[in-house]
Amino acid sequence: PWDLHDSYAVDFFDEDDRIMNYVGHLFEGDDPVIPRDRLIAIRFDVAYASDLAGVGVGYLKEMKCINADLGLYEPVIDIPVAFGVSRKPGQETPITKLKNFVYDLSALYDIGVITTDSFQSKNMQQDLVRDGFRSYYISMDRNNQAYDLAKAMIYEGRLHFAANKLLMRDMINLRIIGGKVDHLPIYSKDIPDAACGICKSILDNLETFKNVSQRYQLEATTKLYQELYHKDPVVENLENRIKNIFGSK
């Protein structure tokens, strides 16, 4: 059987049934799966009534030096979160659940880009762009570019996937069918599409993902300021007593 974290069935009619209820623990706390100072990329392979909707969240881990003499660096990408979203019997995958997942993550991280591979998600993209996110369409079926990029990085040890059994099962059973990457009838490629789509999303916006999160910089600066100007309660009490005796200058 697949692990509970491989896919989640969300209820279209329950407003409180959010994707973050299932995966929030991965991003919260003192040791999140993605460091707070990183920009994140989100990828949706949107499904409606047949397949899972594939979801991936990743980040640029580092620029790895491959030749110090020439000053050559290549990106290392981590995709620690990848899973499927299904629906309750008789329902369709609600796009609002995916969009709310973006909003929930934006409360914790700066988001560099959100991509999908379905024109049916155009309204969601428009909503996200209107709200200040960078969101656009990348096809995983028109050509094999995203999969070719991911394959090259896997061979070079520069792409790390989430430990999701459905993802691993479907990745190893992908085939070239009619000149394109596809799956056999008994398998799927929704989660692989999401994971490999993350890889292309980050590489297409590499200069953006090299930056440190502005949210993190602001929080770190605020914390440092508070620590520098924080007064010990004993010292502060003594200063107040001196002011009361001699008067404040």
Side-chain angles (χ1 to χ4, degrees):
W2 308 117
D3 293 344
L4 292 177
H5 64 270
D6 288 339
S7 65
Y8 309 99
V10 295
D11 190 337
F12 180 91
F13 299 105
D14 185 354
E15 293 183 359
D16 295 326
D17 191 13
R18 304 172 76 92
I19 295 174
M20 206 64 169
N21 296 344
Y22 304 96
V23 301
H25 64 283
L26 299 172
F27 302 100
E28 298 166 348
D30 296 330
D31 189 26
V33 294
I34 298 179
R36 288 273 187 261
D37 63 340
R38 302 298 181 179
L39 279 73
I40 63 172
I42 303 173
R43 170 76 183 180
F44 297 126
D45 179 77
V46 180
Y48 283 81
S50 57
D51 300 322
L52 291 172
V55 180
V57 184
Y59 69 104
L60 176 66
K61 183 176 183 179
E62 63 175 324
M63 294 297 295
K64 182 178 180 181
C65 180
I66 60 171
N67 190 314
D69 293 335
L70 297 178
L72 296 180
Y73 292 81
E74 293 288 353
V76 177
I77 294 175
D78 269 12
I79 306 171
V81 181
F83 56 91
V85 176
S86 62
R87 78 287 303 160
K88 301 294 184 180
Q91 298 182 5
E92 295 182 349
T93 299
I95 295 298
T96 54
K97 300 292 184 180
L98 302 178
K99 188 165 62 175
N100 287 339
F101 181 55
V102 172
Y103 296 142
D104 289 340
L105 279 179
S106 70
L108 299 172
Y109 292 93
D110 281 342
I111 299 175
V113 68
I114 305 147
T115 62
T116 73
D117 78 337
S118 171
F119 283 117
Q120 293 171 299
S121 62
K122 187 65 176 179
N123 287 339
M124 178 177 68
Q125 289 182 19
Q126 291 174 342
D127 289 344
L128 293 172
V129 170
R130 181 195 62 205
D131 291 336
F133 298 101
R134 176 168 171 73
S135 180
Y136 58 92
Y137 170 86
I138 295 179
S139 174
M140 299 295 289
D141 298 319
R142 187 175 299 168
N143 57 59
N144 298 333
Q145 184 182 23
Y147 275 103
D148 289 341
L149 290 170
K151 181 174 69 174
M153 292 188 69
I154 290 171
Y155 286 160
E156 295 171 4
R158 296 189 290 110
L159 180 58
H160 308 133
F161 286 129
N164 181 298
K165 293 181 180 178
L166 281 175
L167 171 62
M168 295 299 106
R169 181 203 69 175
D170 290 341
M171 283 288 288
I172 64 176
N173 284 290
L174 292 174
R175 299 289 186 272
I176 299 295
I177 301 175
K180 296 181 180 180
V181 175
D182 208 340
H183 62 90
L184 299 174
I186 60 173
Y187 300 113
S188 175
K189 73 181 187 82
D190 302 299
I191 306 178
D193 273 0
C196 293
I198 285 280
C199 179
K200 178 168 171 54
S201 299
I202 292 176
L203 293 178
D204 285 351
N205 299 276
L206 191 57
E207 292 305 313
T208 295
F209 282 92
K210 288 179 182 179
N211 296 321
V212 175
S213 162
Q214 292 184 354
R215 176 198 302 271
Y216 176 83
Q217 288 180 316
L218 178 60
E219 291 175 350
T221 301
T222 301
K223 182 178 179 181
L224 178 60
Y225 179 86
Q226 291 172 340
E227 290 176 350
L228 288 174
Y229 290 91
H230 173 72
K231 292 184 178 180
D232 184 277
V234 176
V235 175
E236 188 171 17
N237 182 57
L238 179 59
E239 289 179 349
N240 289 334
R241 291 178 62 185
I242 292 174
K243 288 179 181 179
N244 290 335
I245 294 173
F246 297 101
S248 177
K249 299 294 185 182

